[in-house]
Amino acid sequence: MVWGGGQPGLVQLGEGGDLHLFTLIRRERVRQRVLVKAGLLQFDCADPAVDHVHKLAVLAEKFGEVARALRKWDGDNLREELIQVAAVAVAWLESCESQPTTSASKQ
């Protein structure tokens, strides 16, 4: 993946299926929202009302599942767990983006 044009946030997608990976992560984010609405997950990491410690715990749990899949060398499960890690990180970032920045965070 190449950052394009010197513009922040602009990504030039390569030919290696980058867009497909982003689609998988987006699908996982949708799945997470559905699970929260169905009451199968307590919260969505995109919720700014959820504290960072709880979000870190979710990310750590997902990272642990990546380690488990790697230890067992379950390639299919490893891929799925990595997508979930990315989706949780994106959700957490979404919550940060929805909160106003403070002057201390701008320095």
Side-chain angles (χ1 to χ4, degrees), residues 71-93:
R71 186 174 43 90
K72 294 179 180 178
W73 190 241
D74 182 351
D76 290 336
N77 191 40
L78 175 62
R79 184 173 180 271
E80 290 302 314
E81 297 300 343
L82 287 168
I83 290 167
Q84 289 180 19
V85 165
V88 168
V90 166
W92 192 352
L93 184 57

PDB file of all heavy atoms in Angstrom, residues 71-93:
ATOM      1  N   ARG A  71      -0.003 -20.297  17.202  1.00  0.00           N
ATOM      2  CA  ARG A  71       0.630 -21.431  17.900  1.00  0.00           C
ATOM      3  C   ARG A  71       0.167 -22.762  17.311  1.00  0.00           C
ATOM      4  O   ARG A  71       0.958 -23.689  17.143  1.00  0.00           O
ATOM      5  CB  ARG A  71       0.305 -21.362  19.390  1.00  0.00           C
ATOM      6  CG  ARG A  71       1.014 -22.385  20.229  1.00  0.00           C
ATOM      7  CD  ARG A  71       0.781 -22.190  21.713  1.00  0.00           C
ATOM      8  NE  ARG A  71      -0.589 -21.891  22.080  1.00  0.00           N
ATOM      9  CZ  ARG A  71      -1.510 -22.815  22.382  1.00  0.00           C
ATOM     10  NH1 ARG A  71      -1.193 -24.084  22.358  1.00  0.00           N
ATOM     11  NH2 ARG A  71      -2.726 -22.462  22.719  1.00  0.00           N
ATOM     12  N   LYS A  72      -1.120 -22.836  16.992  1.00  0.00           N
ATOM     13  CA  LYS A  72      -1.669 -24.065  16.411  1.00  0.00           C
ATOM     14  C   LYS A  72      -1.472 -24.117  14.901  1.00  0.00           C
ATOM     15  O   LYS A  72      -1.780 -25.123  14.280  1.00  0.00           O
ATOM     16  CB  LYS A  72      -3.171 -24.152  16.710  1.00  0.00           C
ATOM     17  CG  LYS A  72      -3.486 -24.322  18.169  1.00  0.00           C
ATOM     18  CD  LYS A  72      -4.976 -24.383  18.386  1.00  0.00           C
ATOM     19  CE  LYS A  72      -5.318 -24.546  19.845  1.00  0.00           C
ATOM     20  NZ  LYS A  72      -6.769 -24.568  20.063  1.00  0.00           N
ATOM     21  N   TRP A  73      -0.976 -23.058  14.344  1.00  0.00           N
ATOM     22  CA  TRP A  73      -0.839 -22.832  12.912  1.00  0.00           C
ATOM     23  C   TRP A  73      -2.109 -23.222  12.144  1.00  0.00           C
ATOM     24  O   TRP A  73      -2.144 -24.111  11.318  1.00  0.00           O
ATOM     25  CB  TRP A  73       0.375 -23.494  12.284  1.00  0.00           C
ATOM     26  CG  TRP A  73       0.507 -22.977  10.880  1.00  0.00           C
ATOM     27  CD1 TRP A  73       0.459 -23.699   9.728  1.00  0.00           C
ATOM     28  CD2 TRP A  73       0.632 -21.612  10.469  1.00  0.00           C
ATOM     29  NE1 TRP A  73       0.548 -22.879   8.638  1.00  0.00           N
ATOM     30  CE2 TRP A  73       0.652 -21.579   9.062  1.00  0.00           C
ATOM     31  CE3 TRP A  73       0.701 -20.400  11.133  1.00  0.00           C
ATOM     32  CZ2 TRP A  73       0.760 -20.399   8.322  1.00  0.00           C
ATOM     33  CZ3 TRP A  73       0.806 -19.229  10.409  1.00  0.00           C
ATOM     34  CH2 TRP A  73       0.848 -19.250   9.011  1.00  0.00           C
ATOM     35  N   ASP A  74      -3.158 -22.518  12.522  1.00  0.00           N
ATOM     36  CA  ASP A  74      -4.441 -22.634  11.846  1.00  0.00           C
ATOM     37  C   ASP A  74      -4.571 -21.402  10.956  1.00  0.00           C
ATOM     38  O   ASP A  74      -5.051 -20.360  11.380  1.00  0.00           O
ATOM     39  CB  ASP A  74      -5.564 -22.694  12.892  1.00  0.00           C
ATOM     40  CG  ASP A  74      -6.935 -22.862  12.261  1.00  0.00           C
ATOM     41  OD1 ASP A  74      -7.056 -22.757  11.026  1.00  0.00           O
ATOM     42  OD2 ASP A  74      -7.880 -23.095  13.025  1.00  0.00           O
ATOM     43  N   GLY A  75      -4.103 -21.531   9.716  1.00  0.00           N
ATOM     44  CA  GLY A  75      -4.035 -20.401   8.792  1.00  0.00           C
ATOM     45  C   GLY A  75      -5.366 -19.715   8.548  1.00  0.00           C
ATOM     46  O   GLY A  75      -5.440 -18.490   8.501  1.00  0.00           O
ATOM     47  N   ASP A  76      -6.438 -20.483   8.387  1.00  0.00           N
ATOM     48  CA  ASP A  76      -7.754 -19.884   8.153  1.00  0.00           C
ATOM     49  C   ASP A  76      -8.219 -19.105   9.378  1.00  0.00           C
ATOM     50  O   ASP A  76      -8.714 -17.985   9.274  1.00  0.00           O
ATOM     51  CB  ASP A  76      -8.794 -20.955   7.801  1.00  0.00           C
ATOM     52  CG  ASP A  76      -8.555 -21.568   6.431  1.00  0.00           C
ATOM     53  OD1 ASP A  76      -7.918 -20.910   5.574  1.00  0.00           O
ATOM     54  OD2 ASP A  76      -9.000 -22.712   6.210  1.00  0.00           O
ATOM     55  N   ASN A  77      -8.050 -19.713  10.553  1.00  0.00           N
ATOM     56  CA  ASN A  77      -8.455 -19.032  11.783  1.00  0.00           C
ATOM     57  C   ASN A  77      -7.564 -17.822  12.049  1.00  0.00           C
ATOM     58  O   ASN A  77      -8.048 -16.788  12.513  1.00  0.00           O
ATOM     59  CB  ASN A  77      -8.436 -19.994  12.965  1.00  0.00           C
ATOM     60  CG  ASN A  77      -9.096 -19.408  14.182  1.00  0.00           C
ATOM     61  OD1 ASN A  77     -10.111 -18.735  14.099  1.00  0.00           O
ATOM     62  ND2 ASN A  77      -8.500 -19.642  15.329  1.00  0.00           N
ATOM     63  N   LEU A  78      -6.292 -17.924  11.755  1.00  0.00           N
ATOM     64  CA  LEU A  78      -5.377 -16.801  11.935  1.00  0.00           C
ATOM     65  C   LEU A  78      -5.864 -15.597  11.133  1.00  0.00           C
ATOM     66  O   LEU A  78      -5.939 -14.481  11.642  1.00  0.00           O
ATOM     67  CB  LEU A  78      -3.954 -17.185  11.511  1.00  0.00           C
ATOM     68  CG  LEU A  78      -2.916 -16.066  11.541  1.00  0.00           C
ATOM     69  CD1 LEU A  78      -2.737 -15.530  12.956  1.00  0.00           C
ATOM     70  CD2 LEU A  78      -1.606 -16.560  10.975  1.00  0.00           C
ATOM     71  N   ARG A  79      -6.232 -15.834   9.903  1.00  0.00           N
ATOM     72  CA  ARG A  79      -6.730 -14.763   9.029  1.00  0.00           C
ATOM     73  C   ARG A  79      -7.979 -14.117   9.623  1.00  0.00           C
ATOM     74  O   ARG A  79      -8.085 -12.897   9.691  1.00  0.00           O
ATOM     75  CB  ARG A  79      -7.022 -15.345   7.648  1.00  0.00           C
ATOM     76  CG  ARG A  79      -7.438 -14.357   6.615  1.00  0.00           C
ATOM     77  CD  ARG A  79      -7.521 -15.080   5.254  1.00  0.00           C
ATOM     78  NE  ARG A  79      -7.910 -14.191   4.223  1.00  0.00           N
ATOM     79  CZ  ARG A  79      -9.181 -13.945   3.877  1.00  0.00           C
ATOM     80  NH1 ARG A  79     -10.165 -14.547   4.506  1.00  0.00           N
ATOM     81  NH2 ARG A  79      -9.458 -13.099   2.912  1.00  0.00           N
ATOM     82  N   GLU A  80      -8.916 -14.939  10.087  1.00  0.00           N
ATOM     83  CA  GLU A  80     -10.149 -14.417  10.678  1.00  0.00           C
ATOM     84  C   GLU A  80      -9.864 -13.618  11.942  1.00  0.00           C
ATOM     85  O   GLU A  80     -10.464 -12.558  12.159  1.00  0.00           O
ATOM     86  CB  GLU A  80     -11.121 -15.561  10.984  1.00  0.00           C
ATOM     87  CG  GLU A  80     -11.703 -16.210   9.753  1.00  0.00           C
ATOM     88  CD  GLU A  80     -12.438 -15.226   8.858  1.00  0.00           C
ATOM     89  OE1 GLU A  80     -13.242 -14.421   9.374  1.00  0.00           O
ATOM     90  OE2 GLU A  80     -12.198 -15.247   7.641  1.00  0.00           O
ATOM     91  N   GLU A  81      -8.962 -14.109  12.764  1.00  0.00           N
ATOM     92  CA  GLU A  81      -8.634 -13.415  14.010  1.00  0.00           C
ATOM     93  C   GLU A  81      -7.936 -12.089  13.727  1.00  0.00           C
ATOM     94  O   GLU A  81      -8.182 -11.093  14.415  1.00  0.00           O
ATOM     95  CB  GLU A  81      -7.784 -14.295  14.923  1.00  0.00           C
ATOM     96  CG  GLU A  81      -8.457 -15.574  15.389  1.00  0.00           C
ATOM     97  CD  GLU A  81      -9.744 -15.350  16.174  1.00  0.00           C
ATOM     98  OE1 GLU A  81     -10.002 -14.225  16.657  1.00  0.00           O
ATOM     99  OE2 GLU A  81     -10.508 -16.326  16.328  1.00  0.00           O
ATOM    100  N   LEU A  82      -7.068 -12.059  12.726  1.00  0.00           N
ATOM    101  CA  LEU A  82      -6.407 -10.801  12.354  1.00  0.00           C
ATOM    102  C   LEU A  82      -7.413  -9.779  11.846  1.00  0.00           C
ATOM    103  O   LEU A  82      -7.300  -8.581  12.145  1.00  0.00           O
ATOM    104  CB  LEU A  82      -5.314 -11.055  11.310  1.00  0.00           C
ATOM    105  CG  LEU A  82      -4.058 -11.729  11.841  1.00  0.00           C
ATOM    106  CD1 LEU A  82      -3.183 -12.197  10.688  1.00  0.00           C
ATOM    107  CD2 LEU A  82      -3.295 -10.786  12.766  1.00  0.00           C
ATOM    108  N   ILE A  83      -8.404 -10.226  11.101  1.00  0.00           N
ATOM    109  CA  ILE A  83      -9.468  -9.325  10.638  1.00  0.00           C
ATOM    110  C   ILE A  83     -10.223  -8.768  11.843  1.00  0.00           C
ATOM    111  O   ILE A  83     -10.535  -7.570  11.891  1.00  0.00           O
ATOM    112  CB  ILE A  83     -10.411 -10.054   9.657  1.00  0.00           C
ATOM    113  CG1 ILE A  83      -9.680 -10.326   8.343  1.00  0.00           C
ATOM    114  CG2 ILE A  83     -11.697  -9.257   9.420  1.00  0.00           C
ATOM    115  CD1 ILE A  83     -10.391 -11.308   7.437  1.00  0.00           C
ATOM    116  N   GLN A  84     -10.491  -9.619  12.834  1.00  0.00           N
ATOM    117  CA  GLN A  84     -11.193  -9.154  14.035  1.00  0.00           C
ATOM    118  C   GLN A  84     -10.348  -8.157  14.824  1.00  0.00           C
ATOM    119  O   GLN A  84     -10.872  -7.161  15.339  1.00  0.00           O
ATOM    120  CB  GLN A  84     -11.600 -10.341  14.901  1.00  0.00           C
ATOM    121  CG  GLN A  84     -12.712 -11.152  14.280  1.00  0.00           C
ATOM    122  CD  GLN A  84     -13.110 -12.340  15.138  1.00  0.00           C
ATOM    123  OE1 GLN A  84     -12.825 -12.391  16.322  1.00  0.00           O
ATOM    124  NE2 GLN A  84     -13.788 -13.288  14.522  1.00  0.00           N
ATOM    125  N   VAL A  85      -9.043  -8.397  14.922  1.00  0.00           N
ATOM    126  CA  VAL A  85      -8.153  -7.445  15.595  1.00  0.00           C
ATOM    127  C   VAL A  85      -8.212  -6.098  14.880  1.00  0.00           C
ATOM    128  O   VAL A  85      -8.356  -5.046  15.521  1.00  0.00           O
ATOM    129  CB  VAL A  85      -6.700  -7.970  15.655  1.00  0.00           C
ATOM    130  CG1 VAL A  85      -5.723  -6.857  16.015  1.00  0.00           C
ATOM    131  CG2 VAL A  85      -6.579  -9.110  16.648  1.00  0.00           C
ATOM    132  N   ALA A  86      -8.117  -6.125  13.568  1.00  0.00           N
ATOM    133  CA  ALA A  86      -8.165  -4.883  12.794  1.00  0.00           C
ATOM    134  C   ALA A  86      -9.500  -4.174  12.983  1.00  0.00           C
ATOM    135  O   ALA A  86      -9.545  -2.944  13.137  1.00  0.00           O
ATOM    136  CB  ALA A  86      -7.914  -5.177  11.318  1.00  0.00           C
ATOM    137  N   ALA A  87     -10.591  -4.929  12.999  1.00  0.00           N
ATOM    138  CA  ALA A  87     -11.916  -4.330  13.156  1.00  0.00           C
ATOM    139  C   ALA A  87     -12.089  -3.704  14.539  1.00  0.00           C
ATOM    140  O   ALA A  87     -12.683  -2.624  14.661  1.00  0.00           O
ATOM    141  CB  ALA A  87     -12.995  -5.380  12.898  1.00  0.00           C
ATOM    142  N   VAL A  88     -11.581  -4.355  15.578  1.00  0.00           N
ATOM    143  CA  VAL A  88     -11.657  -3.785  16.926  1.00  0.00           C
ATOM    144  C   VAL A  88     -10.820  -2.506  16.989  1.00  0.00           C
ATOM    145  O   VAL A  88     -11.257  -1.500  17.561  1.00  0.00           O
ATOM    146  CB  VAL A  88     -11.216  -4.807  17.994  1.00  0.00           C
ATOM    147  CG1 VAL A  88     -11.016  -4.139  19.350  1.00  0.00           C
ATOM    148  CG2 VAL A  88     -12.231  -5.936  18.096  1.00  0.00           C
ATOM    149  N   ALA A  89      -9.636  -2.521  16.394  1.00  0.00           N
ATOM    150  CA  ALA A  89      -8.793  -1.322  16.374  1.00  0.00           C
ATOM    151  C   ALA A  89      -9.485  -0.187  15.623  1.00  0.00           C
ATOM    152  O   ALA A  89      -9.458   0.972  16.063  1.00  0.00           O
ATOM    153  CB  ALA A  89      -7.438  -1.647  15.755  1.00  0.00           C
ATOM    154  N   VAL A  90     -10.127  -0.500  14.515  1.00  0.00           N
ATOM    155  CA  VAL A  90     -10.867   0.510  13.749  1.00  0.00           C
ATOM    156  C   VAL A  90     -12.024   1.061  14.592  1.00  0.00           C
ATOM    157  O   VAL A  90     -12.260   2.268  14.626  1.00  0.00           O
ATOM    158  CB  VAL A  90     -11.370  -0.064  12.403  1.00  0.00           C
ATOM    159  CG1 VAL A  90     -12.418   0.832  11.767  1.00  0.00           C
ATOM    160  CG2 VAL A  90     -10.195  -0.272  11.459  1.00  0.00           C
ATOM    161  N   ALA A  91     -12.738   0.177  15.277  1.00  0.00           N
ATOM    162  CA  ALA A  91     -13.849   0.617  16.120  1.00  0.00           C
ATOM    163  C   ALA A  91     -13.353   1.573  17.205  1.00  0.00           C
ATOM    164  O   ALA A  91     -13.959   2.622  17.454  1.00  0.00           O
ATOM    165  CB  ALA A  91     -14.543  -0.591  16.752  1.00  0.00           C
ATOM    166  N   TRP A  92     -12.257   1.228  17.832  1.00  0.00           N
ATOM    167  CA  TRP A  92     -11.693   2.075  18.878  1.00  0.00           C
ATOM    168  C   TRP A  92     -11.314   3.431  18.291  1.00  0.00           C
ATOM    169  O   TRP A  92     -11.592   4.486  18.865  1.00  0.00           O
ATOM    170  CB  TRP A  92     -10.496   1.374  19.494  1.00  0.00           C
ATOM    171  CG  TRP A  92      -9.954   1.962  20.760  1.00  0.00           C
ATOM    172  CD1 TRP A  92     -10.299   3.143  21.354  1.00  0.00           C
ATOM    173  CD2 TRP A  92      -8.959   1.380  21.596  1.00  0.00           C
ATOM    174  NE1 TRP A  92      -9.573   3.334  22.496  1.00  0.00           N
ATOM    175  CE2 TRP A  92      -8.752   2.266  22.677  1.00  0.00           C
ATOM    176  CE3 TRP A  92      -8.232   0.204  21.536  1.00  0.00           C
ATOM    177  CZ2 TRP A  92      -7.832   1.998  23.684  1.00  0.00           C
ATOM    178  CZ3 TRP A  92      -7.327  -0.061  22.549  1.00  0.00           C
ATOM    179  CH2 TRP A  92      -7.122   0.826  23.605  1.00  0.00           C
ATOM    180  N   LEU A  93     -10.691   3.411  17.132  1.00  0.00           N
ATOM    181  CA  LEU A  93     -10.325   4.656  16.457  1.00  0.00           C
ATOM    182  C   LEU A  93     -11.565   5.474  16.107  1.00  0.00           C
ATOM    183  O   LEU A  93     -11.564   6.702  16.240  1.00  0.00           O
ATOM    184  CB  LEU A  93      -9.514   4.341  15.198  1.00  0.00           C
ATOM    185  CG  LEU A  93      -8.975   5.529  14.418  1.00  0.00           C
ATOM    186  CD1 LEU A  93      -8.104   6.413  15.305  1.00  0.00           C
ATOM    187  CD2 LEU A  93      -8.203   5.042  13.216  1.00  0.00           C
TER     188      LEU A  93
END
